[in-house]
Amino acid sequence: MYEVEVKVPADIEAVAERLDELEAEQVDTVIQTDTYYDAPHRDFAETDEAFRVRRETRKGETNAKVTYKGPLLEAESKSREEFETGVEDGDDIDAIVQHLGFEPAATVRKNRRVYEVREYDVTLDAVDDVGEFVEVERETDGDIEPVREGAYEVLQDLNLDPSDQQRTSYLGMLLSDANE
């Protein structure tokens, strides 16, 4: 499965107003806290991979997932292979991966509002210490290009410019800001 994602910086309140005008349905509100890990056997920054434990809080309940993201597949979007599964206890999976030699690299925290527009998830992100962004994404097991082009159309419907796309991950932005 491939995740096709296009992310642009934006004033998320202005985009929320535009989504209301388009009568888009808000389907979720979530706080995500992602702990990213460095691998003991290769440099994920060099291989363009990511491994994280995500905690999601909805309506006072927190669940955890573990995710591996492969390298970017193309230059036009943030499309990549992704594997994700739920885990019963986020603290236990943190302990397991640390005992296997993985070291925490950074934690990214974001408040997200998720809407559905056609077949796409439109996510309004307020990311601590990074800024505000809109992500348009959809999964596919087939051709990436038409899904990416559809994401561009959704951005344009929201009065956003796909050429403003930010391909750097929130983790990358956070780390680059910390190093400045």
Side-chain angles (χ1 to χ4, degrees):
M1 188 65 63
Y2 300 102
E3 176 188 62
V4 178
E5 175 187 306
V6 181
K7 172 176 61 190
V8 298
D11 175 343
I12 59 175
E13 292 311 317
V15 175
E17 288 177 19
R18 179 67 181 142
L19 285 161
D20 286 343
E21 291 170 9
L22 296 172
E23 299 180 359
E25 180 184 359
Q26 183 175 348
V27 295
D28 203 1
T29 301
V30 61
I31 298 170
Q32 291 179 336
T33 305
D34 297 337
T35 302
Y36 286 87
Y37 288 89
D38 289 329
H41 58 292
R42 66 180 176 257
D43 183 347
F44 283 159
E46 193 174 291
T47 61
D48 193 29
E49 297 169 284
F51 179 70
R52 72 171 181 229
V53 174
R54 168 174 282 172
R55 288 171 178 79
E56 294 183 322
T57 304
R58 289 179 177 85
K59 299 178 183 172
E61 287 194 30
T62 300
N63 295 301
K65 299 177 184 178
V66 61
T67 307
Y68 164 80
K69 292 186 175 214
L72 292 174
L73 297 170
E74 61 173 12
E76 293 80 18
S77 70
K78 286 186 44 79
S79 302
R80 58 177 73 226
E81 193 169 28
E82 178 176 294
F83 301 94
E84 182 171 72
T85 190
V87 294
E88 191 168 318
D89 187 306
D91 292 338
D92 283 349
I93 195 66
D94 281 329
I96 290 167
V97 299
Q98 288 182 49
H99 278 86
L100 291 172
F102 288 74
E103 294 287 330
T107 299
V108 176
R109 185 178 181 283
K110 54 193 171 286
N111 288 300
R112 309 188 103 180
R113 288 182 278 170
V114 183
Y115 294 78
E116 285 184 1
V117 176
R118 297 189 290 276
E119 315 92 46
Y120 292 85
D121 288 337
V122 175
T123 305
L124 310 184
D125 283 339
V127 185
D128 290 3
D129 302 317
V130 176
E132 294 184 344
F133 296 85
V134 173
E135 292 184 2
V136 178
E137 68 181 68
R138 194 175 106 194
E139 290 185 345
T140 183
D141 56 6
D143 192 10
I144 292 171
E145 185 177 351
V147 178
R148 181 188 67 242
E149 292 302 320
Y152 289 169
E153 291 172 14
V154 171
L155 283 171
Q156 291 166 340
D157 290 347
L158 298 174
N159 300 324
L160 298 170
D161 186 349
S163 69
D164 292 337
Q165 180 178 185
Q166 174 60 257
R167 293 183 70 232
T168 304
S169 68
Y170 295 135
L171 173 63
M173 289 184 235
L174 182 68
L175 293 175
S176 103
D177 287 347
N179 291 329
E180 291 179 0

